[in-house]
Amino acid sequence: MCATCGCEGDGVAVITVGYQDHDHPHEHGPEHEHPHEHAVTTLTLEQKVLAKNDELAAANRVRLRQRGILALNMTSSPGAGKTTLIERTIRELESVPVAVIEGDQATMLDARRIEATGCKVVQVNTGAGCHLDADMIRRALDALETVPGSLLFVENVGNLVCPALFDLGEAGKVVIVSVTEGTDKPLKYPHMFAAAELVLINKTDLLPYVDFDLGRCVDYARSVNPDVTILPVSATSGDGLAHWYDWLTSRLTAGISMS
Ligand code: MG
């Protein structure tokens, strides 16, 4: 989890301090380790980081619900086509007001792509962080003038590990996997796929050129999440996108009651 791997800024800093600040009542040489103390400290901090995040996420959820905004947490590996899918969806789903929060470690590149569609967008740069957290979303919502009844895409940092742990206050999670990746992604990253309401298998226009077994990927995703909806799409050719728009429309109609 992030307080351990180094991407959770506060957590890592405190863990390091906590490790250095532990009592030294006994004499010993400079080269020693306290693996047990370190493990306990890390576990406590992980729980605190996630508990604090869950609290902020709950507040975000109430705030979004009060404004009637349907927020979807869009997750994937880097390069699966999240931004391309969101760009095209904004252009083709004209009847629904859309806003976007873009998460990347660095650059405004994706925010500029979204801005070019005429959509409201806020970029969050996470620095060393490998995921968005609820406090980042709170601050992004402060900066974003969302229209009541709108759809909010939160494009998470490309990563299938940590985003599964950090609730943002969204109504639901969408996982995008592309056919240029391994068929076995759902088995390798089960937490993300188990948490998803919808799995989009993107870049299907490339299926003739890559070694990707669509049927097996669907079976693997269902093995970790039996009820998940799975839609093969191509955000570049447009294949299958009608089903994605139908899903979005019905999800909007259902509103935030499912969250
Ligand atoms: Mg992107």
Side-chain angles (χ1 to χ4, degrees):
M1 121 99 199
C2 293
T4 304
C5 79
C7 69
E8 182 62 30
D10 289 340
V12 169
V14 178
I15 288 169
T16 305
V17 171
Y19 184 53
Q20 291 172 341
D21 281 354
H22 70 268
D23 290 333
H24 274 244
H26 52 290
E27 294 293 326
H28 47 57
E31 292 185 15
H32 67 286
E33 290 196 358
H34 296 261
H36 177 68
E37 291 174 38
H38 195 180
V40 170
T41 309
T42 303
L43 180 62
T44 305
L45 281 162
E46 286 173 3
Q47 289 168 340
K48 282 184 181 172
V49 167
L50 289 176
K52 183 185 168 196
N53 183 77
D54 285 348
E55 218 172 90
L56 293 167
N60 288 344
R61 189 164 281 116
V62 169
R63 182 177 178 177
L64 290 162
R65 184 177 291 161
Q66 283 173 345
R67 285 187 68 76
I69 294 163
L70 182 76
L72 295 175
N73 185 355
M74 309 291 284
T75 64
S76 78
S77 301
K82 296 186 296 301
T83 314
T84 301
L85 177 77
I86 293 169
E87 277 178 301
R88 185 156 183 164
T89 301
I90 293 165
R91 291 196 166 102
E92 296 188 345
L93 203 69
E94 291 175 329
S95 57
V96 182
V98 179
V100 179
I101 296 172
E102 277 292 339
D104 282 299
Q105 286 196 319
T107 82
M108 293 285 291
L109 293 170
D110 282 1
R112 292 203 178 99
R113 286 171 61 183
I114 299 298
E115 189 183 27
T117 68
C119 178
K120 289 178 180 174
V121 59
V122 169
Q123 178 81 51
V124 177
N125 284 150
T126 59
C130 63
H131 62 274
L132 293 173
D133 65 28
D135 190 51
M136 294 173 194
I137 299 307
R138 178 188 65 77
R139 289 155 62 191
L141 288 172
D142 287 344
L144 197 64
E145 291 172 28
T146 46
V147 179
S150 64
L151 179 62
L152 174 64
F153 288 122
V154 180
E155 185 182 334
N156 218 315
V157 178
N159 175 6
L160 287 175
V161 183
C162 304
L165 293 169
F166 284 80
D167 184 9
L168 305 179
E170 74 273 11
K173 289 183 175 68
V174 177
V175 180
I176 300 154
V177 59
S178 64
V179 306
T180 52
E181 302 169 45
T183 298
D184 49 12
K185 272 278 168 69
L187 297 182
K188 289 182 172 176
Y189 303 95
H191 300 292
M192 191 74 255
F193 284 84
E197 218 176 279
L198 173 70
V199 173
L200 294 174
I201 302 179
N202 193 25
K203 307 188 187 181
T204 53
D205 53 304
L206 298 179
L207 274 172
Y209 313 106
V210 293
D211 182 20
F212 184 90
D213 189 327
L214 186 60
R216 276 177 64 203
C217 186
V218 168
D219 289 345
Y220 290 155
R222 290 247 159 78
S223 74
V224 297
N225 187 346
D227 298 325
V228 73
T229 303
I230 303 170
L231 300 175
V233 298
S234 168
T236 52
S237 74
D239 286 349
L241 287 182
H243 298 296
W244 157 237
Y245 300 147
D246 286 346
W247 184 89
L248 279 175
T249 305
S250 62
R251 191 63 180 81
L252 275 161
T253 307
I256 52 177
S257 58
M258 290 169 69
S259 63

